[in-house]
Amino acid sequence: MAWYLGRLSAGPCWRAARGGCGELRAWSQRCATGHICQPPGTAGTVHSRGLAHGPSARGGPWPGTGLAAALAGLAGLATAAFGHVHRAEMVPKSSGARSPSPERPQEDDLARRCSCFMASPVTDLDELRKRPGDMKTKMELLILETQAQVCQALAQVDGVASFSVDRWERKEGGGGISCVLQDGRVFEKAGVSISVVHGNLSEEAAKQMRSRGKVLKTKDGKLPFSAMGVSSVIHPKNPHAPTIHFNYRYFEVEEADGTKQWWFGGGCDLTPTYLNQEDAVHFHRTLKEACDQHGPDLYPKFKKWCDDYFFIAHRGERRGIGGIFFDDLDSPSKEEVFRFVQSCAQAVVPSYIPLVKKHCDDSFTPQEKLWQQLRRGRYVEFNLLYDRGTKFGLFTPGSRIESILMSLPLTARWEYMHSPSENSKEAEILEVLRHPRDWVH
């Protein structure tokens, strides 16, 4: 069922137009360097077993969510960003992109890879070249590739609107790239952002980590960290085309004695306005196929975690029909967990784009559009009241509000005491949101 993200590499690359305020345009099927764009995870998938989350994640119903989601706010993964914004060029002259040279083949390989991104990496290319095997390098390249592939797929489906590409910097260290499409033919709003930040954890963030059982040794009250990830929320115009959210991130802390603690987190979930059984099965089955490459127990565990996390307590219902969600993954090894995250990132486009293509031109009534607006109101309620990354970002001094609120739709609606008619299509989706289903068995 799943068609793989790699197939998109046969289509045109999309890049920020030089001098064009970051608009996207289709060019040749190959990058300027002659290199075919590769999907996220060019190293391929390696089967592994025994993925698990750390000791702090074994105790409660939502282990670890507070920290990583809160740090998502700090790191821009949800996506809270810092500093000023300026338009990005695809490959600035300082990036090192140049004609192939036999003296520096590694440099040329990296430059060719980066030429397919929405903007040049946050980290300087010379720094990336110095540490090709470091997880921070591998994760930054993965999230940049994921961003580019998703934006390419969305732009192709929309056919009219283009992405603005905003590059921001964080004075404390690092920065990010926010790509946003608004008022398109198919998408009302689609945002795909990456962040790569580093510095010292705030005392509030350190306290949250300790409250989850992590023992961390600071030096002079400081705790150096690095965090990076890709985050996206996509809101189609048509009420029969579902909203999707995904986020994949990596976090690393260095203690006073030089010991490094690390973990991965993320997930992908679907929020339809109306229930379509075939769509739900396709979405969950595609995610399950990605998880099953790394262990048969992962999908059911992370599917339940997703149902539990995206719960609007004051409404007694989930935000959507779920997907997968995980946090604090730190075993059996960094490489094996990375390959799992890689597989999940590769599953985003095949799990979602077919659903948008299927429904983007469906006819709909004013009543169905109204119901979509009301359901978006629920989406806003969850993100502002319960999502820990959004809340943390809003309360972090110096945070970039535009990026934090990128996940919200352009339009939404709240009606007093609204209740759908019994046995209606609107009541059908509410029943699923109140009682999650198993979609793959």
Side-chain angles (χ1 to χ4, degrees):
M1 175 177 289
W3 49 276
Y4 285 93
L5 188 56
R7 295 183 183 177
L8 289 175
S9 63
C13 292
W14 292 86
R15 67 183 295 171
R18 294 183 183 276
C21 295
E23 290 184 350
L24 296 179
R25 61 167 176 254
W27 56 325
S28 71
Q29 292 187 359
R30 292 175 180 265
C31 300
T33 55
H35 178 68
I36 297 176
C37 294
Q38 295 299 316
T42 54
T45 303
V46 178
H47 295 257
S48 59
R49 295 291 184 269
L51 291 175
H53 35 271
S56 61
R58 298 188 181 110
W62 306 317
T65 313
L67 167 68
L71 288 172
L74 174 64
L77 310 182
T79 49
F82 298 78
H84 67 277
V85 176
H86 56 85
R87 297 295 183 185
E89 287 189 343
M90 186 60 185
V91 184
K93 292 180 180 178
S94 62
S95 69
R98 63 192 68 178
S99 300
S101 168
E103 290 80 14
R104 306 186 71 176
Q106 184 179 7
E107 175 183 358
D108 295 326
D109 287 344
L110 182 59
R112 282 195 293 268
R113 191 174 180 186
C114 293
S115 69
C116 287
F117 298 161
M118 301 300 288
S120 56
V122 175
T123 304
D124 186 81
L125 287 192
D126 286 338
E127 178 63 25
L128 295 177
R129 291 184 185 105
K130 291 176 183 176
R131 48 178 173 86
D134 187 275
M135 184 53 66
K136 294 192 291 294
T137 298
K138 297 172 72 171
M139 190 66 181
E140 181 169 353
L141 294 176
L142 173 63
I143 62 179
L144 283 161
E145 288 174 336
T146 301
Q147 180 187 53
Q149 293 285 346
V150 172
C151 287
Q152 174 188 337
L154 296 175
Q156 289 174 336
V157 170
D158 193 275
V160 174
S162 58
F163 277 90
S164 65
V165 181
D166 285 334
R167 189 183 190 92
W168 52 268
E169 296 176 358
R170 178 174 179 262
K171 64 179 182 180
E172 295 85 353
I177 302 157
S178 296
C179 300
V180 181
L181 179 155
Q182 294 184 144
D183 286 322
R185 182 187 73 86
V186 173
F187 301 106
E188 179 179 292
K189 188 177 182 183
V192 190
S193 289
I194 67 105
S195 62
V196 180
V197 300
H198 55 86
N200 290 301
L201 281 182
S202 67
E203 184 56 35
E204 182 178 355
K207 284 181 180 178
Q208 291 193 32
M209 295 175 71
R210 295 187 184 97
S211 70
R212 291 172 41 245
K214 289 190 175 293
V215 179
L216 300 169
K217 309 178 189 73
T218 62
K219 183 177 182 180
D220 299 326
K222 295 181 179 180
L223 193 61
F225 81 96
S226 297
M228 59 198 64
V230 57
S231 182
S232 176
V233 178
I234 301 161
H235 296 287
K237 286 185 172 180
N238 196 303
H240 297 293
T243 286
I244 191 177
H245 156 261
F246 72 88
N247 174 284
Y248 293 105
R249 56 190 178 269
Y250 173 72
F251 195 89
E252 188 176 282
V253 175
E254 183 174 346
E255 299 182 86
D257 60 2
T259 301
K260 291 184 179 179
Q261 294 198 39
W262 58 269
W263 58 90
F264 292 84
C268 184
D269 61 282
L270 196 71
T271 303
T273 301
Y274 288 95
L275 181 64
N276 182 297
Q277 299 268 356
E278 187 179 78
D279 293 354
V281 170
H282 168 82
F283 181 77
H284 277 268
R285 214 168 255 174
T286 306
L287 297 186
K288 182 178 183 297
E289 289 172 3
C291 292
D292 285 353
Q293 297 176 53
H294 305 273
D297 61 323
L298 298 181
Y299 169 77
K301 177 167 60 178
F302 297 154
K303 192 267 187 188
K304 182 181 186 306
W305 201 340
C306 185
D307 290 335
D308 289 342
Y309 177 68
F310 292 103
F311 181 66
I312 309 173
H314 65 277
R315 299 288 189 181
E317 62 191 42
R318 276 77 188 167
R319 189 177 74 177
I321 62 168
I324 58 173
F325 180 87
F326 57 89
D327 218 341
D328 278 358
L329 289 189
D330 60 4
S331 66
S333 73
K334 192 180 293 186
E335 288 296 328
E336 288 178 288
V337 182
F338 172 73
R339 285 191 286 267
F340 168 68
V341 171
Q342 196 175 58
S343 296
C344 293
Q346 290 174 343
V348 171
V349 168
S351 71
Y352 181 64
I353 293 298
L355 308 184
V356 179
K357 288 182 176 180
K358 176 181 175 182
H359 295 293
C360 65
D361 295 318
D362 287 359
S363 61
F364 57 88
T365 66
Q367 178 186 350
E368 290 171 333
K369 187 64 179 179
L370 172 64
W371 179 244
Q372 181 193 47
Q373 297 294 295
L374 293 169
R375 293 313 308 167
R376 284 181 175 172
R378 296 289 203 269
Y379 203 95
V380 172
E381 288 177 25
F382 177 85
N383 282 25
L384 295 182
L385 296 177
Y386 295 104
D387 187 78
R388 291 169 173 86
T390 301
K391 289 167 61 179
F392 188 85
L394 290 173
F395 289 104
T396 299
S399 59
R400 183 172 178 245
I401 302 302
E402 289 298 323
S403 289
I404 299 170
L405 300 182
M406 185 193 72
S407 65
L408 302 183
L410 289 184
T411 60
R413 185 181 178 95
W414 288 265
E415 286 190 7
Y416 183 71
M417 297 295 288
H418 182 276
S419 181
S421 302
E422 188 176 354
N423 298 321
S424 64
K425 292 187 298 180
E426 291 79 14
E428 180 185 31
I429 187 67
L430 279 183
E431 174 62 23
V432 173
L433 300 180
R434 290 166 180 162
H435 303 95
R437 295 182 187 174
D438 178 352
W439 299 103
V440 296
H441 297 102

